């Protein structure tokens, strides 16, 4: 069975963990051979980081919305004025793909045509989990990707999302038909469900389940930790995950406040608690990626007193999800700004003190029993960071057991997606058997021709 997974950014280890978790959940759902065709923003780099020899069932391709359509990215007035007209033409060519060969060859290069054929023949399309459908970001590319799906009659499954709210009328009108056509929408918090309640005609297909990455939890290890009457032997090591955040309240002053607070945490860990500290995160060690958390970590360490800095290191290397989870087993706990650094640590039984930069972390902190100690990037101060760190360390056994009990529940919740996916996969498998391998015989299931107004909305 051919499964397309779109909108991934696998240079981010957290996003890669989501991909591997989706793969794990689907393989647990269906016994047939599954082939994952992943449409990523930087497929060549992703393929280097996750090579076929290690992941033989995963194949990377360029995200089509970034390849086919043109976007405003500079001040060239003439080019920007021509882009909407070009995009409308490209959208028309999509609708006639395979029928109007000269038009397709004129607008789409050979790689794009191969990718479009993959979409045409796919058994299922999944838009990956994560937090990319929020108006903090420009949604043009995501919406155009959904328009490509619709042109081929592929209604995407939404894997575990934190999304919304959608206050812009253009986003609401573009997303509503996509959400309505989707056969299954998985949300990772009740707040996200509220954000789309008035955009979905059939709310019964919307389900709140745990983040997909909890499906990767080492439940045997966690149960062993919980069964021990004595706490695990400490290693004397603590990890800290940081990030630069362009949207922090107060701008540069807000970032300096956050950096100062993390510096205070590192200092207290060494001076008050006798720990060795390692900065490590999910976004680092990939030169082609726009984000490198190790740069923020190095700026923090550069401001430490020399006697503290001797006990602090920055691990700036790239780590796959498997490598990162193996690494964090060796820490007493993790102070995590990146949410998937938090989840992957919990998945191997390592407790976490979280720092939230979006609502997704606040929602998760409630579910794992650490909301009383949550630090918020928009408001955190050095004094608050120090106080909550001390409270966390002083009550570590309590927070460990509370969090890990919750992780077992989150794992079960993430895996419950198998029951929601099974009938959908059975339907797709039956269609595939009936239609055979001849893609020309596949029903196009194309939607009614888009109105001129809808075409004009293509960026």
């Amino acid at each position: 069975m051919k499964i397309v997974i779109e909108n991934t950014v696998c240079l981010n280890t957290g996003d890669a963990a989501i991909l591997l978790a989706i793969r794990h959940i689907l393989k647990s759902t269906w016994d047939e051979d599954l082939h994952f065709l992943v449409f990523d923003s930087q497929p060549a780099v992703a393929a280097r980081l996750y090579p076929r020899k290690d992941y033989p069932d995963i194949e990377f391709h360029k995200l089509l919305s970034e390849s086919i359509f043109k976007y405003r990215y500079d001040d060239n007035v003439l080019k920007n004025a021509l882009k909407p007209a070009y995009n409308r033409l490209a959208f028309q060519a999509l609708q006639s793909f395979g029928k109007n060969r000269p038009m397709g060859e004129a607008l789409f290069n050979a790689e794009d045509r191969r990718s479009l054929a993959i979409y045409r023949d796919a058994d299922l399309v999944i838009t990956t989990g994560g937090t990319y459908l929020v108006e903090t970001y420009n949604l043009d590319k995501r919406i155009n990707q959904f328009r490509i799906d619709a042109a081929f009659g592929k209604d995407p499954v939404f894997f575990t999302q934190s999304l919304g709210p959608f206050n812009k009328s253009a986003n609401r009108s573009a997303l509503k038909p996509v959400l309505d056509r989707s056969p299954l929408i998985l949300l990772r918090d009740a707040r996200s469900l509220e954000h789309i309640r008035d955009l979905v005609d059939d709310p019964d297909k919307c389900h709140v389940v745990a983040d997909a990455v909890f499906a990767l939890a080492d439940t045997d290890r966690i149960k062993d930790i919980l069964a021990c009457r004595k706490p695990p032997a400490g290693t004397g090591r603590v990890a800290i995950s940081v990030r630069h955040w362009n949207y922090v309240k107060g701008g540069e002053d807000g970032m300096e406040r956050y950096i100062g607070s993390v510096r205070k945490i590192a200092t207290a860990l060494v001076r008050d608690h006798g720990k060795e500290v390692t900065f490590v995160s999910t976004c680092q060690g990939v030169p082609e990626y726009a984000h490198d958390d190790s740069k923020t970590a190095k700026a923090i360490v550069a401001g430490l007193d020399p006697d503290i800095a001797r006990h602090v290191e920055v691990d700036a290397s790239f780590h796959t999800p498997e490598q990162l989870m193996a690494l964090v087993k060796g820490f007493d706990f993790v102070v995590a700004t990146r949410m998937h650094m938090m989840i992957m640590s919990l998945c191997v039984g390592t407790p976490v003190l979280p720092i939230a930069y979006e609502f997704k972390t606040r929602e998760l902190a409630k579910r794992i029993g650490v909301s009383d100690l949550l630090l918020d990037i928009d408001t955190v101060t050095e004094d608050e960071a120090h106080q909550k760190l001390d409270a966390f360390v002083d009550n570590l056994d309590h927070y460990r057991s509370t969090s890990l009990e919750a992780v077992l529940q989150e794992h079960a919740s993430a895996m419950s997606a198998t029951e929601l996916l099974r009938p959908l996969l059975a339907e797709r498998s039956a269609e595939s058997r009936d239609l055979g391998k001849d893609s020309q015989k596949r029903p196009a299931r194309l939607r009614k021709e888009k109105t001129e107004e809808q075409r004009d909305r293509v960026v």
Side-chain angles (χ1 to χ4, degrees):
M1 186 179 290
K2 298 175 182 177
I3 310 290
V4 163
I5 302 179
E6 62 189 15
N7 289 317
T8 70
V9 184
C10 287
L11 278 61
N12 176 327
T13 297
D15 281 27
I18 293 173
L19 169 63
L20 297 183
I22 293 172
R23 170 181 176 242
H24 173 73
I25 290 169
L26 287 170
K27 284 187 167 185
S28 300
T29 305
W30 203 246
D31 333 356
E32 291 185 13
D33 288 339
L34 300 180
H35 188 54
F36 298 93
L37 301 136
V38 180
F39 285 77
D40 190 271
S41 292
Q42 297 192 61
V45 183
R48 186 188 79 216
L49 300 175
Y50 301 93
R52 291 293 294 274
K53 67 181 179 64
D54 298 327
Y55 305 90
D57 54 348
I58 295 177
E59 180 180 315
F60 289 97
H61 297 270
K62 178 67 177 175
L63 187 65
L64 280 167
S65 63
E66 296 182 354
S67 178
I68 287 176
F69 296 115
K70 308 295 183 184
Y71 300 89
R72 297 173 184 267
Y73 60 88
D74 57 23
D75 296 325
N76 189 311
V77 176
L78 180 59
K79 280 186 178 180
N80 287 332
L82 293 174
K83 285 174 183 177
Y86 176 88
N87 288 341
R88 284 192 290 272
L89 186 62
F91 185 70
Q92 291 172 4
L94 276 174
Q95 291 186 303
S96 61
F97 179 75
K99 299 174 184 177
N100 187 339
R101 185 170 179 178
M103 187 176 188
E105 291 184 349
L107 288 175
F108 308 137
N109 62 34
E111 182 181 352
D112 288 341
R113 294 196 300 275
R114 285 192 294 271
S115 293
L116 290 168
I118 288 172
Y119 265 82
R120 181 191 62 203
D121 297 336
D123 295 297
L124 184 68
V125 172
I126 292 173
T127 183
T128 192
T131 312
Y132 51 90
L133 294 176
V134 291
E135 288 184 341
T136 301
Y137 311 125
N138 186 308
L139 301 185
D140 291 345
K141 292 179 182 178
R142 307 307 182 191
I143 289 170
N144 279 345
Q145 186 59 49
F146 297 143
R147 291 190 173 110
I148 293 171
D149 299 344
F152 286 91
K154 307 295 182 179
D155 302 325
V157 169
F158 283 73
F159 234 87
T160 43
Q161 307 273 318
S162 291
L163 46 68
F166 301 110
N167 298 314
K168 297 177 181 178
S169 59
N171 288 338
R172 291 176 64 83
S173 61
L175 287 172
K176 178 170 174 49
V178 181
L179 294 168
D180 275 335
R181 290 195 303 266
S182 172
L184 179 63
I185 299 173
L186 303 179
L187 304 158
R188 60 188 179 192
D189 48 73
R191 187 170 170 180
S192 293
L193 178 58
E194 287 302 313
H195 289 164
I196 63 167
R197 196 174 289 279
D198 63 340
L199 290 177
V200 179
D201 290 342
D202 178 13
D204 290 341
K205 68 183 179 183
C206 301
H207 303 268
V208 176
V209 297
D211 186 285
V213 176
F214 278 110
L216 303 178
D218 186 343
T219 55
D220 289 340
R221 176 181 172 86
I222 291 170
K223 288 174 182 176
D224 286 344
I225 292 171
L226 289 170
C228 290
R229 293 183 179 180
K230 294 181 179 180
T235 65
R237 301 173 63 223
V238 172
I240 300 178
S241 154
V242 294
R243 70 158 300 163
H244 184 82
W245 183 235
N246 291 325
Y247 310 102
V248 63
K249 288 184 180 177
E252 290 185 10
D253 290 341
M255 269 305 297
E256 284 302 313
R257 174 178 42 74
Y258 162 69
I259 285 173
S261 299
V262 176
R263 193 174 284 139
K264 186 71 172 181
I265 288 172
T267 299
L269 284 169
V270 173
R271 187 169 288 159
D272 302 341
H273 301 287
K275 303 293 187 182
E276 300 290 316
V277 175
T278 299
F279 281 84
V280 62
S281 194
T282 54
C283 298
Q284 59 181 48
V286 184
E288 297 89 347
Y289 191 40
H291 305 284
D292 187 344
D293 295 343
S294 69
K295 293 180 179 179
T296 303
K298 289 173 182 177
I300 292 169
V301 173
L304 292 172
D305 292 341
D307 64 317
I308 301 298
R310 284 196 294 271
H311 300 276
V312 179
E313 66 173 349
V314 177
D315 177 345
S317 300
F318 166 77
H319 304 283
T320 67
E322 299 96 332
Q323 291 165 347
L324 190 57
M325 286 191 284
L327 180 67
V328 296
K329 287 180 183 179
F331 296 104
D332 292 340
F333 60 88
V334 175
V335 180
T337 306
R338 292 281 186 181
M339 192 183 80
H340 282 102
M341 182 73 184
M342 177 182 181
I343 293 175
M344 282 187 276
S345 300
L346 291 167
C347 279
V348 294
T350 304
V352 176
L353 176 63
I355 304 174
Y357 63 92
E358 286 184 316
F359 76 84
K360 60 185 180 182
T361 307
R362 300 182 193 100
E363 296 295 311
L364 178 56
K366 294 175 189 174
R367 295 200 303 279
I368 66 164
V370 295
S371 58
D372 57 326
L373 294 184
L374 177 74
L375 298 167
D376 192 313
I377 198 170
D378 286 327
T379 60
V380 64
T381 63
E382 292 184 22
D383 286 345
E384 181 195 21
H386 195 173
Q387 291 168 8
K388 289 189 172 180
L389 172 68
D390 286 348
F392 184 70
V393 174
D394 291 345
N395 298 280
L396 185 59
D397 292 344
H398 163 73
Y399 286 110
R400 178 189 292 110
S401 60
T402 300
S403 294
L404 296 189
E405 290 284 3
V407 169
L408 294 177
Q409 297 175 22
E410 294 289 289
H411 171 77
S413 177
M415 291 304 297
S416 72
T418 58
E419 296 307 313
L420 301 170
L421 287 160
R422 189 167 286 117
L424 188 58
L425 288 170
E427 176 189 332
R428 298 294 191 269
S429 180
E431 287 179 1
S432 181
R433 285 195 302 269
D434 291 344
L435 297 169
K437 300 295 184 180
D438 185 358
S439 63
Q440 297 303 315
K441 294 180 182 178
R442 286 179 178 266
R445 295 170 56 212
L446 295 179
R447 302 291 170 187
K448 291 182 179 180
E449 186 175 349
K450 301 288 186 284
T451 64
E452 290 301 320
E453 180 184 3
Q454 287 174 308
R455 288 178 181 171
D456 288 344
R457 289 191 191 124
V458 177
V459 177

